[in-house]
Amino acid sequence: MLVVHASMRAVGPVAGGAAGLLDALRAAIGPPGTLVMPAMTGTCRPEPFDARRSPSRGMGVLAEALRRAPGALRSPHPTSSFAALGPQAAAITAAQPLTPPHGTDSPIGRVHGLDGRILLLGVGHERDTTLHLAELLAGVPYAVTRWAVVAGLDGPRRVDFAENDHCCRNFALADAWLREAGVQREGRVGTAAARLVTSRDLVRVVVPRLRAAPLRFLCPPGAGCGRCDEARAAAVAAGG
């Protein structure tokens, strides 16, 4: 069970391009393995979400190659879907609650429950969605309102939901914590720096730090980060 966040540009030239790297990842985990990648479309967009047709946005060419791969399945969350390919794909991409998008009953939460691993190829932990799961397990006090448009029997409709959302730049703090704990393996794939950690190790290391300082992933007040200011205001409103 492997969740991959990747930058093809950082990896450099690969025979076969994104399809070639996808084949290499599938060969590495073998037939029993399930490959999982984000297929998110983003929040507050007027286009109705269609799990079969809506392209991912900002997830990179490798993630989009997995979404389009024969046999791949996609979870139905209207903003925060994941694609999966392998024996556990149906279980990983099954329907989930609208909120929170990355809770225990979500693709990323199910990977955690199955003791899966996280591979970062050419990106840092600021792209690591499992840290949103860690935030929820730690009980961080910020939840901001987001919306999406979904298809319905009576036509498209807007749905609002709460999400522990912010700029995620300070997710990079997890790098030092995981190295200190000795649970993150690092190396090179092509020209990209690669990080490998189990989901359970990540959560085990990060959650106590967030419980001690629940706002540590947010940019400080006055830093000019609108998304973190929004999350901080939500925390204040919630009494956090």
Side-chain angles (χ1 to χ4, degrees):
M1 185 71 61
L2 186 67
V3 177
V4 179
H5 299 276
S7 165
M8 279 292 298
R9 180 177 298 178
V11 173
V14 177
L21 183 53
L22 190 61
D23 288 344
L25 288 166
R26 294 183 67 189
I29 62 175
T34 298
L35 194 59
V36 184
M37 295 188 199
M40 301 177 201
T41 51
T43 61
C44 308
R45 302 190 65 87
E47 303 91 350
F49 174 73
D50 184 326
R52 295 171 298 174
R53 297 183 178 88
S54 296
S56 61
R57 295 181 182 274
M59 300 296 105
V61 296
L62 184 66
E64 185 66 359
L66 178 66
R67 183 190 74 82
R68 297 168 63 92
L73 301 178
R74 187 186 197 182
S75 62
H77 196 280
T79 68
S80 303
S81 63
F82 276 74
L85 184 61
Q88 295 288 340
I92 294 299
T93 61
Q96 69 175 93
L98 185 63
T99 187
H102 306 301
T104 55
D105 191 17
S106 72
I108 214 71
R110 294 164 190 157
V111 169
H112 176 263
L114 292 168
D115 198 20
R117 297 184 180 191
I118 303 156
L119 177 64
L120 305 176
L121 288 180
V123 299
H125 285 285
E126 66 276 5
R127 298 284 296 273
D128 187 349
T129 311
T130 302
L131 287 167
H132 283 307
L133 172 66
E135 289 179 311
L136 292 166
L137 294 174
V140 297
Y142 41 87
V144 299
T145 300
R146 296 289 183 252
W147 60 268
V149 177
V150 299
L153 296 177
D154 299 323
R157 62 185 179 90
R158 170 174 162 159
V159 293
D160 293 355
F161 57 95
E163 180 176 2
N164 49 311
D165 186 30
H166 49 92
C167 81
C168 301
R169 284 194 291 264
N170 282 339
F171 276 179
L173 293 169
D175 232 8
W177 303 341
L178 296 168
R179 287 170 180 159
E180 180 184 352
V183 296
Q184 179 170 271
R185 296 172 59 187
E186 301 184 35
R188 309 291 298 185
V189 174
T191 58
R195 298 165 172 84
L196 182 68
V197 63
T198 72
S199 178
R200 291 182 183 177
D201 278 342
L202 183 146
V203 166
R204 176 178 58 80
V205 168
V206 170
V207 165
R209 287 170 168 82
L210 290 180
R211 286 178 176 161
L215 304 185
R216 72 164 66 216
F217 277 154
L218 303 184
C219 294
C225 180
R227 291 175 66 186
C228 286
D229 287 346
E230 183 184 19
R232 192 176 297 275
V236 170

